[in-house]
Amino acid sequence: MHVEYPAYELQAEIEALRAIANGLTGMKVELANHVWLGDNAGRSWLVTVQPRDLCFKFEVFSLAISSIEQLQARWREWKPPVLPTGIPEPLRSQMSVRPPEPTAPLGFDNWPFVTRQVEVLRRVEWIADLADAYPASGDNPNVQSATRAGQIPASATATCEVAVGLLFNGTQDERLLIAADWMPMNLIFTREADKIDAFLVDCNRIELRTYMRSPSP
């Protein structure tokens, strides 16, 4: 049986998408999973990875784009999680401490080129049940992969179309990719042509302004 899950779109309000489409002036990479963007209006936006569990051993990742104002509002509304009994006290104490207040970078690196176009990258992620092929590897081992829409293999048992990244295209063939990595919660942030080309193999591309007008985001 093949299960098709609803598409998982960019986790961003239309205001964030408009800011990116209208042009960026700066960026700041923090760790492996935080990229700050500065827009033409002087606002700061944080790009992270947002996961979604679909079923056993099938988790997909898209980008989340939040303004510093949104991040600070969520921080003010933070409440300690309700934790089950039996958690060791040191871990309970750690998880019950309010995280630091979010702050935007004091300065940004210059945006590296004049952006001509921004595209949303979409791919279909799928799993195949390989329990019969590999009976010794677990009760229900799955293999997760990705392909372009319309190229899903017959062996797929569950699929989900995912808006997995953004591709910035410059006026002189410069490119910059920000996308969710296969490594959980990590971002891909690169201008290297070979890495970008390899990522694009499994993706369909849609211009950001067209994506903003579609009913799904």
Side-chain angles (χ1 to χ4, degrees):
M1 182 179 66
H2 177 193
V3 179
E4 181 178 349
Y5 289 93
Y8 189 36
E9 305 296 345
L10 296 174
Q11 300 301 289
E13 296 182 0
I14 193 67
E15 181 184 18
L17 300 181
R18 285 176 180 155
I20 291 173
N22 290 338
L24 300 172
T25 58
M27 62 183 187
K28 196 72 171 181
V29 180
E30 295 183 343
L31 306 176
N33 54 7
H34 284 70
V35 172
W36 286 94
L37 303 176
D39 69 14
N40 284 329
R43 298 187 67 185
S44 301
W45 304 87
L46 179 64
V47 183
T48 56
V49 176
Q50 184 70 38
R52 175 172 290 178
D53 284 315
L54 300 177
C55 64
F56 182 61
K57 293 188 178 180
F58 191 17
E59 184 178 25
V60 294
F61 301 86
S62 185
L63 299 183
I65 308 171
S66 305
S67 68
I68 183 61
E69 294 84 4
Q70 289 171 324
L71 295 170
Q72 291 174 340
R74 293 170 197 160
W75 177 82
R76 288 191 295 268
E77 296 168 358
W78 181 90
K79 295 180 180 179
V82 178
L83 301 174
T85 59
I87 291 182
E89 190 57 36
L91 181 59
R92 179 181 297 276
S93 298
Q94 179 182 350
M95 297 177 67
S96 300
V97 174
R98 180 190 291 272
E101 181 178 1
T103 57
L106 296 178
F108 287 86
D109 299 324
N110 290 331
W111 189 250
F113 49 78
V114 177
T115 304
R116 175 179 57 85
Q117 183 189 56
V118 186
E119 295 175 303
V120 178
L121 306 180
R122 300 172 64 86
R123 67 189 184 191
V124 177
E125 299 194 9
W126 56 273
I127 58 172
D129 188 349
L130 300 182
D132 294 335
Y134 301 99
S137 58
D139 294 333
N140 185 25
N142 295 324
V143 171
Q144 184 165 335
S145 190
T147 189
R148 295 188 180 191
Q151 299 181 4
I152 305 168
S155 59
T157 55
T159 57
C160 180
E161 187 166 4
V162 184
V164 74
L166 293 168
L167 180 66
F168 298 86
N169 301 286
T171 56
Q172 301 296 325
D173 294 328
E174 309 101 326
R175 295 180 298 174
L176 187 151
L177 171 67
I178 305 177
D181 196 359
W182 282 114
M183 179 67 68
M185 305 309 295
N186 274 11
L187 279 169
I188 297 172
F189 183 89
T190 184
R191 295 182 65 189
E192 296 183 36
D194 56 342
K195 292 182 179 180
I196 293 175
D197 290 339
F199 193 90
L200 294 178
V201 167
D202 294 320
C203 295
N204 293 105
R205 299 155 65 173
I206 178 172
E207 207 275 327
L208 178 58
R209 295 187 184 276
T210 301
Y211 179 84
M212 290 163 55
R213 294 192 295 268
S214 67
S216 51

